[in-house]
Amino acid sequence: MTDNFTTLFNTYSWERTKQSIYEKTSQDVERALGNSKRTLEDFKALISPAAAPYLEQMAQLSRMATLKRFGKVMQLYVPLYLSNECNNICTYCGFSLDNKVRRKTLSPLEIMQEVAVLKEMGYDHVLLVTGEANHTVHTEYFKGILELLRPHFALISMEVQPLDTEDYEVLIPLGLNTVLVYQETYHREDYKKHHPKGKKSNFEYRLETPDRLGKAGVHKMGLGVLIGLEDWRTDSFFTALHLGYLEKKYWQTKYSLSFPRLRPFSGGLEPKVEMSDRELVQLICAYRLLNEEVELSISTRESVVFRDHVIGLGITSMSAGSKTNPGGYAVEPESLEQFEISDERTPGEIKDMLKEKGYETVWKDWDRLLQ
């Protein structure tokens, strides 16, 4: 077993991997669909252009696999943005250091104002989000926030800057359940192009964050890339490679995947590679056919129509009523968002939609329900 994922990652070539995906044939796709246990080579076939005509078959198999493992249940979560302060320059983010926006970090009183609104919505699962500003939002800050919020939520997730193993070991006993850390892109050169300044520019440190989380014993971690920065098929293969490595090495940890597509923000970055709705469905189904255990999440970045139709094809959790700015629920609803929301329905409206489709809504964690 390798010491960390970087060792395995360095044995792969981006260009050779990309070529092998695009060379897959319809015979490869049919072989992958016929296998009961699928390999990474099968996954390459299922995300390849050759799989496009097989989307209906993939969707049916994905639906059956999801129902078998998760039933007709959907977990709802909500992001709580604590701060838009950030030391990084990232070409795709509204919080980037070079964006001239007013910076804000919520005080404990303001956080509780936000919490009151979220609890009224019905939430018991909150995702804490900040920019990456080590001088203000650091481990000591997170310790205080977890102690503040732990009495109010059954499940607390976090999407903040990567931390050291020792930091995670401090935060987990305070109620930190899940950590999301997206690589953004596994293309090393393009990663550096999109992250020219700040600690986030360190590709290897970010790549090894899930290893640090696994060593710290986190309950669940979330992976993903920002779709649109690079070829989505190749990036998705490396995400699947990373997931498989982590599942073998940190087998007691649970895993989730997300599919954020590049969305407009103040300052804008046009996607290098466009991904159609059909292609996103193809990717979701391919992940489900590769891995029946992994949780698959869809955010309010996606449209109402798309989110309604993708339910049942593999998705097991979704956000609702999201605000992507600090204080967006109660304190400062008009402040700058990190990115634009597409599905603006309330959690109640999402719950009603799910009920119409025969789904039960879960407001906290899967694990307690499925044990």
Side-chain angles (χ1 to χ4, degrees), residues 3-62:
D3 288 339
N4 57 51
F5 180 65
T6 303
T7 309
L8 175 62
F9 177 76
N10 287 338
T11 66
Y12 284 79
S13 155
W14 176 278
E15 289 305 324
R16 283 198 297 273
T17 300
K18 181 178 179 180
Q19 183 180 352
S20 71
I21 294 169
Y22 282 82
E23 287 176 347
K24 293 295 183 185
T25 65
S26 57
Q27 287 82 6
D28 295 319
V29 177
E30 289 171 11
R31 189 179 307 112
L33 289 171
N35 289 339
S36 57
K37 189 166 179 58
R38 298 176 181 90
T39 65
L40 282 171
E41 283 302 311
D42 292 330
F43 181 72
K44 284 182 183 177
L46 295 174
I47 60 173
S48 72
Y54 298 86
L55 186 57
E56 183 58 38
Q57 190 177 347
M58 287 176 64
Q60 288 175 2
L61 289 170
S62 181

Side-chain angles (χ1 to χ4, degrees), residues 34-159:
N35 289 339
S36 57
K37 189 166 179 58
R38 298 176 181 90
T39 65
L40 282 171
E41 283 302 311
D42 292 330
F43 181 72
K44 284 182 183 177
L46 295 174
I47 60 173
S48 72
Y54 298 86
L55 186 57
E56 183 58 38
Q57 190 177 347
M58 287 176 64
Q60 288 175 2
L61 289 170
S62 181
R63 185 190 299 275
M64 286 190 291
T66 306
L67 281 172
K68 175 184 163 190
R69 170 65 180 89
F70 296 95
K72 298 194 82 170
V73 178
M74 186 68 63
Q75 181 189 157
L76 290 191
Y77 70 92
V78 68
L80 173 54
Y81 278 70
L82 302 174
S83 174
N84 65 3
E85 295 187 64
C86 195
N87 297 336
N88 297 319
I89 292 180
C90 301
T91 61
Y92 49 80
C93 181
F95 294 172
S96 183
L97 179 66
D98 56 347
N99 269 7
K100 304 303 179 191
V101 298
R102 190 167 70 83
R103 304 293 171 167
K104 181 173 184 61
T105 298
L106 298 183
S107 69
L109 179 61
E110 290 172 326
I111 291 170
M112 292 314 297
Q113 288 178 261
E114 298 285 286
V115 167
V117 175
L118 299 183
K119 295 305 293 182
E120 196 173 319
M121 290 179 180
Y123 279 108
D124 217 7
H125 177 186
V126 67
L127 169 64
L128 307 179
V129 186
T130 70
E132 300 191 9
N134 292 326
H135 61 290
T136 50
V137 286
H138 39 59
T139 303
E140 286 302 311
Y141 174 81
F142 297 135
K143 282 171 63 178
I145 297 303
L146 288 170
E147 288 168 350
L148 181 68
L149 297 184
R150 192 176 186 182
H152 303 282
F153 294 98
L155 188 96
I156 300 177
S157 302
M158 187 178 277
E159 185 181 343

Side-chain angles (χ1 to χ4, degrees), residues 55-329:
L55 186 57
E56 183 58 38
Q57 190 177 347
M58 287 176 64
Q60 288 175 2
L61 289 170
S62 181
R63 185 190 299 275
M64 286 190 291
T66 306
L67 281 172
K68 175 184 163 190
R69 170 65 180 89
F70 296 95
K72 298 194 82 170
V73 178
M74 186 68 63
Q75 181 189 157
L76 290 191
Y77 70 92
V78 68
L80 173 54
Y81 278 70
L82 302 174
S83 174
N84 65 3
E85 295 187 64
C86 195
N87 297 336
N88 297 319
I89 292 180
C90 301
T91 61
Y92 49 80
C93 181
F95 294 172
S96 183
L97 179 66
D98 56 347
N99 269 7
K100 304 303 179 191
V101 298
R102 190 167 70 83
R103 304 293 171 167
K104 181 173 184 61
T105 298
L106 298 183
S107 69
L109 179 61
E110 290 172 326
I111 291 170
M112 292 314 297
Q113 288 178 261
E114 298 285 286
V115 167
V117 175
L118 299 183
K119 295 305 293 182
E120 196 173 319
M121 290 179 180
Y123 279 108
D124 217 7
H125 177 186
V126 67
L127 169 64
L128 307 179
V129 186
T130 70
E132 300 191 9
N134 292 326
H135 61 290
T136 50
V137 286
H138 39 59
T139 303
E140 286 302 311
Y141 174 81
F142 297 135
K143 282 171 63 178
I145 297 303
L146 288 170
E147 288 168 350
L148 181 68
L149 297 184
R150 192 176 186 182
H152 303 282
F153 294 98
L155 188 96
I156 300 177
S157 302
M158 187 178 277
E159 185 181 343
V160 302
Q161 73 266 30
L163 302 171
D164 293 335
T165 303
E166 306 78 58
D167 298 311
Y168 292 127
E169 287 172 341
V170 167
L171 298 177
I172 290 167
L174 297 178
L176 177 60
N177 177 282
T178 303
V179 176
L180 310 184
V181 55
Y182 303 140
Q183 188 59 32
E184 314 299 10
T185 178
Y186 287 87
H187 190 291
R188 191 184 295 267
E189 289 73 29
D190 267 20
Y191 181 93
K192 288 179 178 168
K193 183 176 77 178
H194 290 294
H195 307 95
K197 180 179 173 63
K199 193 171 181 180
K200 194 171 179 178
S201 63
N202 187 330
F203 179 85
E204 284 79 13
Y205 185 76
R206 194 168 189 90
L207 192 66
E208 292 167 10
T209 305
D211 275 293
R212 297 194 297 277
L213 282 163
K215 288 170 186 170
V218 74
H219 177 74
K220 188 192 302 178
M221 65 178 91
L223 307 177
V225 292
L226 184 54
I227 296 168
L229 292 185
E230 245 304 331
D231 179 75
W232 66 263
R233 292 182 168 93
T234 313
D235 254 336
S236 298
F237 168 81
F238 281 105
T239 307
L241 177 72
H242 205 165
L243 174 66
Y245 158 86
L246 292 166
E247 284 186 323
K248 286 190 183 76
K249 187 162 185 179
Y250 310 106
W251 55 271
Q252 291 177 303
T253 298
K254 309 285 186 185
Y255 296 91
S256 69
L257 295 175
S258 298
F259 311 92
R261 286 195 278 189
L262 194 57
R263 293 281 300 164
F265 74 97
S266 61
L269 173 74
E270 289 299 314
K272 177 179 179 179
V273 180
E274 293 280 359
M275 181 196 228
S276 69
D277 285 356
R278 281 183 62 86
E279 288 170 337
L280 182 50
V281 171
Q282 179 185 348
L283 178 61
I284 290 168
C285 293
Y287 272 126
R288 176 57 69 224
L289 295 180
L290 174 69
N291 190 317
E292 293 188 1
E293 294 294 316
V294 70
E295 295 179 23
L296 303 180
S297 179
I298 200 86
S299 79
T300 51
R301 288 173 182 258
E302 299 301 333
S303 71
V304 170
V305 172
F306 183 85
R307 295 209 328 153
D308 285 5
H309 281 83
V310 82
I311 289 164
L313 297 183
I315 297 300
T316 59
S317 67
M318 59 197 305
S319 54
S322 303
K323 303 295 182 184
T324 66
N325 47 313
Y329 300 103

